[in-house]
Amino acid sequence: MTPITRRTFLKKSILSLLGGMFVTSFGYYYARFIEPNRLTITSHSIFHPLIPKSFDGVKIVQFSDTHLGHYYSLAHLRRIVKQINDIKPDLVFFTGDLMDAPNKYRYADDIIPIFADIRAPFGKFCIYGNHDHGGYGTRLYRKVMTKAGFRMLVNEHVLIEQIDQSKIAIAGADDLMLGKPNFDDMLKKIPPSTYTILLLHEPDGAKEASRYGVHLQLSGHSHGGQIQLPFIGPLITPPLAVQYYEGFYQIQDMTLYVNRGLGTTRMPFRFLTPPELTVFTLKHQPPSS
């Protein structure tokens, strides 16, 4: 074995130090400036026998957690709206946290014409997230979304009906952290055997929702943890997004999907959790014989 000289040792040490500095600086740059702008559009088919045949092929877009004002701008929002319209959805769902700090955000009225441009023939629906209630934002958020043509769902549901009178139900819960959710009021009058989609900002409410005959729950809140490490997973997840933080889960007979959101909060970083628009296509599944 060749002996290591002092010169060789110093050379290797310096190279290791420079390599570590490069990896650290590149990692910072990537997590701060590149990945937060690497929008991913994920597409999924949702099969269920209770989805009526007339709803087969209906396309839903979910977006969430823009956190405007925390390194997410109106220019970002305009690009997102264009991409949503390019998908040509039938339904659009926003699952909460529009502004990071509503009482400090000066451009709330400018959101209205941007969101008003979203086109969805079966309707645009939204719910409260914790940031929408926080910072004295409750009334402001409702005003912005309703003026933009969104239907606010707060512990209530609507029935989407086709020309053949077949229906699906869209339910929306108040925020679990800062609101007053009421699953009984929201779900009890849905006709039996109606395929039901629940919008609930915090995903860890899924166990409660699964007791009410919900078939699909769509949530946000987690940001996928914002920073994930291989073999470790998310470093930090917010309250009520600890158990379920990204993608699909099955809770009894209910399917949960957790969207990673578009913006960031607390820290302006993303690593292995790129921002996401989610497209769901409903598919009638014939009963198994």
Side-chain angles (χ1 to χ4, degrees):
M1 184 171 65
T2 306
I4 298 177
T5 64
R6 183 172 180 272
R7 179 187 177 88
T8 302
F9 175 78
L10 288 172
K11 184 178 179 181
K12 288 187 175 182
S13 297
I14 292 170
L15 287 174
S16 295
L17 177 62
L18 290 174
M21 291 172 62
F22 173 80
V23 169
T24 301
S25 59
F26 176 78
Y28 173 87
Y29 184 84
Y30 175 84
R32 172 66 183 86
F33 298 106
I34 297 178
E35 185 159 305
N37 294 297
R38 284 188 59 242
L39 177 70
T40 58
I41 300 177
T42 57
S43 298
H44 309 283
S45 293
I46 303 295
F47 293 87
H48 200 280
L50 290 182
I51 295 174
K53 290 181 181 179
S54 59
F55 282 85
D56 193 284
V58 164
K59 195 181 296 182
I60 298 166
V61 167
Q62 179 197 7
F63 69 119
S64 195
D65 296 271
T66 49
H67 288 266
L68 283 160
H70 191 269
Y71 300 94
Y72 202 84
S73 68
L74 293 173
H76 286 106
L77 205 62
R78 290 187 187 96
R79 288 195 290 270
I80 289 298
V81 167
K82 182 182 184 306
Q83 287 167 306
I84 290 173
N85 285 334
D86 286 346
I87 294 166
K88 297 181 178 178
D90 299 294
L91 284 160
V92 169
F93 300 147
F94 180 70
T95 44
D97 282 3
L98 175 63
M99 295 167 275
D100 196 69
N103 60 329
K104 297 179 182 178
Y105 191 69
R106 296 180 294 166
Y107 310 107
D109 287 342
D110 295 331
I111 302 168
I112 297 169
I114 298 173
F115 271 6
D117 281 343
I118 296 175
R119 298 183 293 274
F122 287 3
K124 307 184 293 189
F125 299 90
C126 64
I127 56 170
Y128 280 108
N130 56 301
H131 281 257
D132 304 315
H133 276 311
Y136 304 98
T138 303
R139 291 182 180 178
L140 177 62
Y141 175 69
R142 178 182 282 274
K143 182 192 83 168
V144 168
M145 298 306 280
T146 54
K147 284 191 173 184
F150 276 77
R151 168 73 185 270
M152 286 281 307
L153 295 175
V154 185
N155 299 328
E156 58 191 313
H157 71 269
V158 296
L159 297 176
I160 308 296
E161 186 172 344
Q162 289 278 37
I163 195 168
D164 65 353
Q165 297 186 325
S166 60
K167 304 176 183 69
I168 64 172
I170 312 299
D174 200 358
D175 180 67
L176 286 180
M177 292 178 67
L178 299 180
K180 297 178 180 179
N182 189 317
F183 287 84
D184 283 327
D185 286 352
M186 177 172 50
L187 300 165
K188 66 183 178 183
K189 293 184 179 179
I190 294 176
S193 301
T194 302
Y195 186 78
T196 300
I197 300 172
L198 169 64
L199 311 181
L200 177 60
H201 183 66
E202 289 90 355
D204 286 1
K207 287 188 176 179
E208 178 73 11
S210 68
R211 302 188 183 107
Y212 286 85
V214 172
H215 303 101
L216 174 65
Q217 175 181 318
L218 302 180
S219 297
H221 185 56
S222 70
H223 298 253
Q226 278 194 196
I227 298 174
Q228 292 194 34
L229 296 179
F231 311 111
I232 294 174
L235 294 185
I236 301 173
T237 51
L240 296 176
V242 176
Q243 189 167 6
Y244 310 114
Y245 58 86
E246 178 185 17
F248 280 106
Y249 301 88
Q250 194 68 31
I251 299 95
Q252 298 181 40
D253 295 328
M254 187 187 80
T255 300
L256 164 66
Y257 189 85
V258 186
N259 178 286
R260 291 190 300 269
L262 293 167
T264 59
T265 188
R266 293 179 293 181
M267 302 177 294
F269 301 105
R270 280 185 178 269
F271 188 75
L272 300 183
T273 58
E276 175 184 18
L277 280 179
T278 317
V279 184
F280 302 98
T281 303
L282 300 183
K283 295 288 186 180
H284 172 72
Q285 182 182 54
S288 56
S289 55

